[in-house]
Amino acid sequence: SQQGEEDPQALSIQEGENATMNCSYKTSINNLQWYRQNSGRGLVHLILIRSNEREKHSGRLRVTLDTSKKSSSLLITASRAADTASYFCATVIKAAGNKLTFGGGTRVLVKP
Amino acid sequence: GAVVSQHPSRVICKSGTSVKIECRSLDFQATTMFWYRQFPKQSLMLMATSNEGSKATYEQGVEKDKFLINHASLTLSTLTVTSAHPEDSSFYICSTGGGHLEETQYFGPGTRLLVL
C-alpha cells in the first residue's frame, strides 16, 4: 500500500514560476526522499531529508519536513521547461528496513 | 552515484510466454536490489527485494512463482515473468543501493513489457 499521498496530482506552470508539491504520509519515518522521473524513464534521486531535519536545499530545490503533520513539500524555484517530469516522494520506515514506499506522484508541466 | 542498467528496454511478447529482464549494477556491488512495477500514470509499487546469494523477499500480493527473481552475483539480478498475460504489461524498474536506512537508491532506466 502507498505510504504517501501527493498533492497536487498535476501542476502546470509557466517557465520562471515556482512549483510546489506536497507529500503526506501515515507512519513515523526514518527519512523521506524526493525523486524525479522523466516520461518513460527511471527515477533520479533529488534530495533526502532525515526525520530530525526540517529543511534542506539543493540548487533550485527546497524540501521541508514537518513530522508533527507527517508531511513534506518540494519547492522548485525559477522553473525551467527541462523541469517537466513527475516527482515522487518516498519514505523509509525503520521497521521496514531500507525499503522505499512511494507516494502517488505529481506530474509537473513547465511551459516555455 | 551508482550506474544501473536494464535489458531489454522494451519487449513485446505473446501471452503465455516467459520474459526475462536483467538489472545490472555497473559500478557498485549490490547485495540488495529492488524490483518495482509501474502502471501508466501511477506510482511505483515494490514487488520484491532481491538478495545476492539468497531467496528474494516478495511483497504481499506478489506471486513468487509468477515473478522469479535470481540474484546470483553482486552485479546482476534478473526478473522472469513466467507465463505472461496482458495484465502483466507494465513498466518494470530495478534499483540498487539502499544498503542502510539513509542510503539513496539508484534506479535503472526501466523495461516496458507489452504482452499481447
Side-chain angles (χ1 to χ4, degrees), chain A residues 25-26 28-29 51 53-54 65-72:
Chain A
Y25 56 92
K26 298 174 184 173
S28 295
I29 60 172
S51 60
E53 297 176 314
R54 292 297 166 257
L65 179 65
D66 187 334
T67 53
S68 67
K69 295 181 179 178
K70 292 186 170 59
S71 68
S72 175

Side-chain angles (χ1 to χ4, degrees), chain A residues 5 13 66 71 93 104 112:
Chain A
E5 298 295 330
I13 56 174
D66 187 334
S71 68
I93 302 169

Side-chain angles (χ1 to χ4, degrees), chain A residues 1-2 30-31 33 35 37 40-43 45 48 50 88 92-94 97-100 102-104 107, chain B residues 34 36 38 41-46 49 59 91 93 97-105 107-110 112:
Chain A
S1 61
Q2 286 182 201
N30 176 274
N31 65 70
Q33 303 177 30
Y35 288 82
Q37 182 182 35
R41 307 293 293 273
L43 276 70
H45 176 258
L48 180 154
R50 298 181 181 86
F88 294 91
V92 174
I93 302 169
K94 193 171 184 179
N98 51 13
K99 295 189 294 186
L100 289 174
F102 284 87
R107 293 191 305 280
Chain B
F34 301 91
Y36 297 85
Q38 184 180 32
K41 296 187 177 180
Q42 293 189 24
S43 186
L44 281 74
M45 297 298 292
L46 179 65
T49 302
E59 294 300 301
F91 194 54
I93 309 176
H100 59 84
L101 290 175
E102 294 186 353
E103 188 172 329
T104 62
Q105 291 187 18
F107 286 80
R112 186 161 304 283

Side-chain angles (χ1 to χ4, degrees), chain B:
Chain B
V3 178
V4 180
S5 69
Q6 280 184 243
H7 177 79
S9 58
R10 56 179 63 211
V11 57
I12 301 173
C13 70
K14 292 182 180 179
S15 187
T17 60
S18 295
V19 176
K20 180 186 283 188
I21 302 170
E22 294 184 347
C23 176
R24 292 185 184 272
S25 177
L26 300 182
D27 58 354
F28 179 83
Q29 292 193 321
T31 55
T32 301
M33 288 184 177
F34 301 91
W35 285 97
Y36 297 85
R37 182 166 52 183
Q38 184 180 32
F39 291 107
K41 296 187 177 180
Q42 293 189 24
S43 186
L44 281 74
M45 297 298 292
L46 179 65
M47 299 175 67
T49 302
S50 170
N51 304 298
E52 188 266 336
S54 64
K55 291 182 180 179
T57 304
Y58 290 82
E59 294 300 301
Q60 193 172 11
V62 179
E63 300 175 58
K64 62 180 181 179
D65 296 327
K66 170 79 173 174
F67 299 98
L68 300 179
I69 291 173
N70 184 277
H71 192 158
S73 77
L74 288 172
T75 59
L76 174 64
S77 175
T78 60
L79 169 68
T80 301
V81 184
T82 62
S83 187
H85 291 284
E87 57 265 30
D88 298 323
S89 298
S90 188
F91 194 54
Y92 292 86
I93 309 176
C94 69
S95 72
T96 186
H100 59 84
L101 290 175
E102 294 186 353
E103 188 172 329
T104 62
Q105 291 187 18
Y106 300 97
F107 286 80
T111 295
R112 186 161 304 283
L113 170 63
L114 177 60
V115 185
L116 301 176

Side-chain angles (χ1 to χ4, degrees), chain A residues 65-84:
Chain A
L65 179 65
D66 187 334
T67 53
S68 67
K69 295 181 179 178
K70 292 186 170 59
S71 68
S72 175
S73 68
L74 170 66
L75 167 68
I76 305 172
T77 60
S79 63
R80 304 167 183 169
D83 294 329
T84 294

Side-chain angles (χ1 to χ4, degrees), chain A residues 6-15 17-22 34 73-77 79-81 83-87 105-111:
Chain A
E6 291 187 56
D7 168 58
Q9 290 186 339
L11 182 60
S12 180
I13 56 174
Q14 292 293 137
E15 208 165 25
E17 294 180 341
N18 295 342
T20 301
M21 58 211 86
N22 304 293
W34 284 91
S73 68
L74 170 66
L75 167 68
I76 305 172
T77 60
S79 63
R80 304 167 183 169
D83 294 329
T84 294
S86 291
Y87 293 83
T106 296
R107 293 191 305 280
V108 176
L109 171 63
V110 182
K111 293 180 277 188

